[in-house]
Amino acid sequence: MYLKRVSYLKNQVLDSSNYPFNIPWVENFESLDFRSNVTFFVGENGTGKSTLLEAIADKCEFNVAGGSRNNLFEVAKAESVLGDYIRLSWSPKVNRGFFLRAETFYHFASYIDALEDPNKYAAYGGKSLHHQSHGESYLSLFMNSFGGKAIYLLDEPEAALSPLRQLSLMKIIKDLENESQFIIATHSPILLGYPNATIYNFDHAKIEMIRYEETMHYILTKRFIEAPELVLKELFRDDD
Ligand SMILES: Nc1ncnc2c1ncn2[C@@H]1O[C@H](COP(=O)(O)OP(=O)(O)OP(=O)(O)O)[C@@H](O)[C@H]1O
Ligand SMILES: [Mg+2]
């Protein structure tokens, strides 16, 4: 593990009535400890998982639009307010890594295409990321450029991946986790089942550790797969 803790510099916040300081857990935030090389952020939409991941990426000096330290391409909204109010504790510090954001991956692919470097595709499976499907391009990135002493911040990597490819991603993480650290915001009930990972739940007024089987993602998916007709009957009840 490299990143050990994120601490909130709360006393430097002057006005906590606006985003991101008004997110419920942020109001009570003191610090978050990383306890394993694979950590998941889970929680309902809009609970602030990306907000924290972006802030960490900002502090790692990764481009908050997505990418690594070297990828200085620009897209709108490439800023993290919370990043100015957190401190990262490292042991040891690493500079390598990548911040994957689904929203900006397209721009990242275009950025790589525009580089003059003849070896520009070496880390991405040998061809333009635009000439690979969404899921293929993600897996190319993971397989060809991830590894070593590095930290990877992934925001919903499952967005492009079939269930089978989500398993492939788990295998890639397994092969790398002795040397690399992963922090992953996800809604995938598959990825969340990664063995011995720490799962932090953002649903409440404090970020709390949660077991895989206690996540809403696991519970709802299991309930649906076991008896879709019951779940749908309940959901559509008033329509009859
Ligand atoms: N730039 C912004 N300005 C104002 N509010 C914002 C901004 N970005 C996000 N928010 C709000 O902050 C809250 C947390 O957003 P965030 O994107 O961190 O959620 P999330 O947990 O990643 O959600 P999801 O699971 O849908 O990706 C949401 O209510 C969102 O509308
Ligand atoms: Mg998000």
Side-chain angles (χ1 to χ4, degrees):
M1 238 190 322
Y2 305 109
L3 180 59
K4 294 283 193 309
R5 170 176 293 177
V6 183
S7 310
Y8 186 32
L9 307 175
K10 193 175 198 160
N11 53 10
Q12 296 186 12
V13 177
L14 299 177
D15 177 5
S16 59
S17 60
N18 293 316
Y19 173 85
F21 310 109
N22 59 355
I23 293 176
W25 64 262
V26 177
E27 288 182 22
N28 300 300
F29 193 39
E30 289 171 8
S31 65
L32 189 71
D33 288 334
F34 293 94
R35 298 157 186 269
S36 50
N37 265 351
V38 180
T39 305
F40 290 105
F41 291 171
V42 76
E44 199 40 69
N45 292 123
T47 48
K49 304 176 296 297
S50 298
T51 298
L52 184 57
L53 209 57
E54 279 166 19
I56 295 171
D58 183 40
K59 275 286 157 197
C60 288
E61 295 175 41
F62 297 158
N63 182 352
V64 288
S68 66
R69 275 189 174 214
N70 302 327
N71 302 133
L72 295 173
F73 65 98
E74 287 184 29
V75 294
K77 219 183 136 198
E79 58 187 37
S80 167
V81 179
L82 190 61
D84 291 338
Y85 297 90
I86 60 168
R87 187 176 59 227
L88 303 184
S89 308
W90 301 86
S91 177
K93 172 95 170 77
V94 287
N95 295 321
R96 288 189 55 241
F98 197 96
F99 175 37
L100 176 87
R101 282 181 65 165
E103 303 99 296
T104 50
F105 193 71
Y106 182 90
H107 300 275
F108 177 70
S110 302
Y111 163 81
I112 300 293
D113 279 355
L115 292 178
E116 300 280 340
D117 182 354
N119 292 321
K120 61 188 178 186
Y121 297 132
Y124 312 106
K127 60 177 173 177
S128 166
L129 292 165
H130 281 308
H131 295 170
Q132 305 175 45
S133 81
H134 196 193
E136 286 168 346
S137 60
Y138 269 38
L139 271 215
S140 283
L141 174 74
F142 302 148
M143 283 193 295
N144 298 295
S145 72
F146 281 18
K149 295 185 191 336
I151 182 163
Y152 295 106
L153 310 171
L154 311 180
D155 200 352
E156 298 187 33
E158 74 275 13
L161 301 177
S162 73
L164 185 63
R165 294 291 167 86
Q166 292 181 38
L167 295 180
S168 303
L169 172 58
M170 288 168 100
K171 170 70 172 132
I172 292 170
I173 294 172
K174 186 75 191 160
D175 290 343
L176 301 181
E177 78 158 324
N178 284 339
E179 265 208 309
S180 307
Q181 182 172 1
F182 292 85
I183 303 174
I184 305 172
T186 186
H187 291 296
S188 166
I190 296 178
L191 292 186
L192 287 169
Y194 190 87
N196 304 318
T198 308
I199 305 177
Y200 282 118
N201 182 20
F202 283 60
D203 276 345
H204 304 298
K206 283 196 165 170
I207 300 176
E208 291 160 337
M209 258 203 288
I210 187 170
R211 285 176 41 243
Y212 174 48
E213 296 82 1
E214 292 168 340
T215 62
M216 195 48 81
H217 301 60
Y218 174 93
I219 293 167
L220 267 185
T221 306
K222 182 168 186 287
R223 194 182 295 165
F224 188 82
I225 301 241
E226 282 177 357
E229 64 287 349
L230 289 184
V231 175
L232 294 176
K233 194 172 163 197
E234 175 78 6
L235 184 67
F236 301 155
R237 195 176 35 190
D238 296 335
D239 294 349
D240 296 335

